[in-house]
Amino acid sequence: MATANNSSAGITRHYTFNIKLQNVTRLCHTKSIVTVNGKFPGPRIVAREGDRVVVKVVNHVQNNITIHWHGIRQLRSGWADGPAYVTQCPIQTGQTYVYNFTIIGQRGTLFWHAHISWLRSTLYGPIIILPKRNVPYPFAKPYKEVPIIFGEWFNGDTEAIINQALQTGGGPNVSDAYTINGLPGPLYNCSAKDTFKLKVKPGKTYLLRLINAALNDELFFSIANHTLTVVDADAVYVKPFKTDTLLITPGQTTNVLLKTKPYFPHASFVMAARPYVTGQGTFDNSTTTGILEYYNSNSSISLPLFQPTLPPLNDTITATNYIMRFRSLATEQFPANVPKNVDKRFFFTVGLGTNPCPRNHTCQGPNGSMFSASVNNISFALPTTALLQAHFLGQSKGVYSPYFPYYPLHPFNYTGNPPNNTNVISNVTNLVVLPFNTSVELIMQDTSILGAESHPLHLHGFNFFVVGQGFGNYDPNKDPEKFNLIDPVERNTVGVPSGGWVAIRFLADNPGVWFMHCHLEIHTSWGLKMAWLVLNGELPNQKLPPPPSDLPKC
């Protein structure tokens, strides 16, 4: 529900999220899952640019809970960002916390999800941000808008799965199905009735709001015999381009226009998503499908069903060609404010590694070790108190260190033959400290230590510009010449290419502690994460306000 206030900036929209258990059946398998208001996927948050959103979260389950509003800038509202032990302690059983934030300068699709352990496997839902009143889209107004959220269904308990993986040091059990709006579709056993159907009229344009909420898999997506026009990514407009196949990594959103055929086509069309796989580990090699159906007065006739052709699972060429097509609008109304001058440069290696197996313990990782993951050889250890709280109260001693390395401590041939020693050097809590308004350039380099792999990296609190990317090792002498500083895409989640690198720039204009992590949940669990601490500026509107009185205690 929404209540008007006097500000012309927008209205305040109130939501209540009751976190509760709900029995849900998929693949003939019933289990009790953690939900918001008993819904799976969870309810939509709908707001306009400039609106204030107030969400009261009440925890009725035994698990600790936090909710992250993925991609929302959270300008000076870092207490509402949600990652457990980074900006807040979790909401414990029986507790309530009110998330309060204003949507500034964003329009499009984002999503919310749990941000503690693996609970986001069932706790997620769309955030739909409409333009301000009387402000049109920079493309033709669609006839209808439809959120399509991809997820993963596990027959088992995801909390038990990740706990077992962390104990044994091996890879986790993979999901049993992918889902479209919570439904796996007819290619899975005992699932024909659980199929998402999109009913459309001929000669209309539909805006599909695509979200990848899967835990551990990047996905290719296509609709048979239909071309899609990409118009928005991560709640930022892009130069429109047409494509038959999309790639969407966990944490990313993409708005596309679907123009339906001008006449009733006497057929139905399959929409399908299946993984894009670059790593060496096991994965869920299955396909989720939905049906695109045209309205027809005679629904009793049997229609042919056309199937889309999806790329091979490891088709990095198709993936790269698709990603390279994204460009910001870069117009007067929607400028691309890329930092042209850089104050601080960082080079982060991201990838997998190992930790030695503890004594008197059998481990299932490579060569009897335990899987680990790191940024610049640091596997980030979450503290037991929230980083933002420790910083704000001046109590960082024993919680975190401000000395995160700007460059790898031990350079090597990152994408060549891997070194003999695959051990991650340290498991610590180190932050990068940035003065307010620092312009940052960050190169993220994949490593081949346990096989090259694509890593979707998500930065909280900021959008960033993807100014360059390539394969092999980043060359600081030659690669910057090719950077796009005119109209690079602006995102909150970017795939570091398998066996390659990506260059991003952002302005640290948002005081607080901001998590950055791989959005493949297993890699985050293994330590592929870090945090940026942005200090207050000098002016009152450049400082982080005090925490709300109901901020959960650890």
Side-chain angles (χ1 to χ4, degrees), residues 160-443:
I161 289 170
I162 181 55
N163 289 341
Q164 182 190 13
L166 294 178
Q167 277 177 339
T168 64
N173 290 349
V174 299
S175 54
D176 295 282
Y178 300 107
T179 57
I180 298 175
N181 289 346
L183 303 169
L187 297 188
Y188 296 98
N189 184 34
C190 188
S191 187
K193 69 179 193 316
D194 290 328
T195 301
F196 173 67
K197 290 186 175 167
L198 176 58
K199 296 205 164 191
V200 297
K201 293 180 176 176
K204 302 285 187 191
T205 299
Y206 291 77
L207 178 69
L208 307 184
R209 296 174 173 272
L210 307 175
I211 301 164
N212 187 350
L215 273 187
N216 289 312
D217 290 277
E218 307 188 55
L219 296 168
F220 285 123
F221 173 72
S222 186
I223 302 177
N225 296 31
H226 287 73
T227 299
L228 302 170
T229 303
V230 176
V231 292
D232 185 304
D234 292 0
V236 184
Y237 295 131
V238 297
K239 290 189 171 80
F241 67 90
K242 288 183 161 53
T243 184
D244 296 332
T245 303
L246 287 100
L247 173 68
I248 184 163
T249 82
Q252 287 185 339
T253 60
T254 311
N255 281 4
V256 299
L257 298 176
L258 164 71
K259 198 162 179 16
T260 59
K261 298 186 180 302
Y263 309 106
F264 178 70
H266 294 286
S268 291
F269 304 89
V270 172
M271 56 177 80
R274 76 169 183 209
Y276 164 54
V277 183
T278 53
Q280 313 287 316
T282 53
F283 62 95
D284 177 351
N285 180 9
S286 68
T287 304
T288 179
T289 52
I291 311 285
L292 180 70
E293 286 183 349
Y294 281 71
Y295 281 109
N296 173 37
S297 54
N298 186 357
S299 57
S300 61
I301 56 170
S302 182
L303 295 172
L305 194 59
F306 286 100
Q307 306 278 354
T309 307
L310 284 166
L313 296 167
N314 60 352
D315 190 344
T316 293
I317 292 172
T318 294
T320 306
N321 289 343
Y322 172 75
I323 291 160
M324 300 301 272
R325 297 179 72 188
F326 282 84
R327 294 276 186 275
S328 285
L329 273 187
T331 59
E332 198 174 327
Q333 191 180 1
F334 303 107
N337 296 317
V338 194
K340 299 288 196 297
N341 301 310
V342 174
D343 298 322
K344 292 204 172 176
R345 287 187 160 82
F346 298 86
F347 182 90
F348 287 178
T349 54
V350 295
L352 303 187
T354 56
N355 276 332
C357 191
R359 214 173 271 170
N360 303 327
H361 203 79
T362 308
C363 293
Q364 293 172 4
N367 303 321
S369 67
M370 302 186 79
F371 270 114
S372 184
S374 65
V375 180
N376 277 356
N377 241 320
I378 289 180
S379 192
F380 192 82
L382 278 180
T384 52
T385 185
L387 295 168
L388 185 59
Q389 207 174 321
H391 158 66
F392 190 86
L393 298 173
Q395 297 170 349
S396 62
K397 195 169 165 31
V399 179
Y400 67 83
S401 151
Y403 302 114
F404 192 92
Y406 284 29
Y407 296 90
L409 301 173
H410 304 283
F412 61 97
N413 180 1
Y414 305 114
T415 54
N417 288 332
N420 292 334
N421 180 6
T422 61
N423 285 345
V424 168
I425 289 177
S426 53
N427 291 63
V428 291
T429 312
N430 289 15
L431 277 57
V432 173
V433 180
L434 295 172
F436 185 80
N437 257 358
T438 304
S439 59
V440 172
E441 180 179 282
L442 167 62
I443 313 297

Side-chain angles (χ1 to χ4, degrees), residues 65 89 104 132 172 361 385 389 427 438 454 480 494 521 525 540:
I65 295 292
C89 297
I104 300 167
K132 291 182 176 177
H361 203 79
T385 185
Q389 207 174 321
N427 291 63
T438 304
S454 172
V494 66
E521 208 58 43
S525 302

Side-chain angles (χ1 to χ4, degrees), residues 148-160:
I148 292 182
I149 189 159
F150 303 108
E152 279 183 279
W153 173 264
F154 293 78
N155 284 335
D157 173 9
T158 46
E159 292 303 280

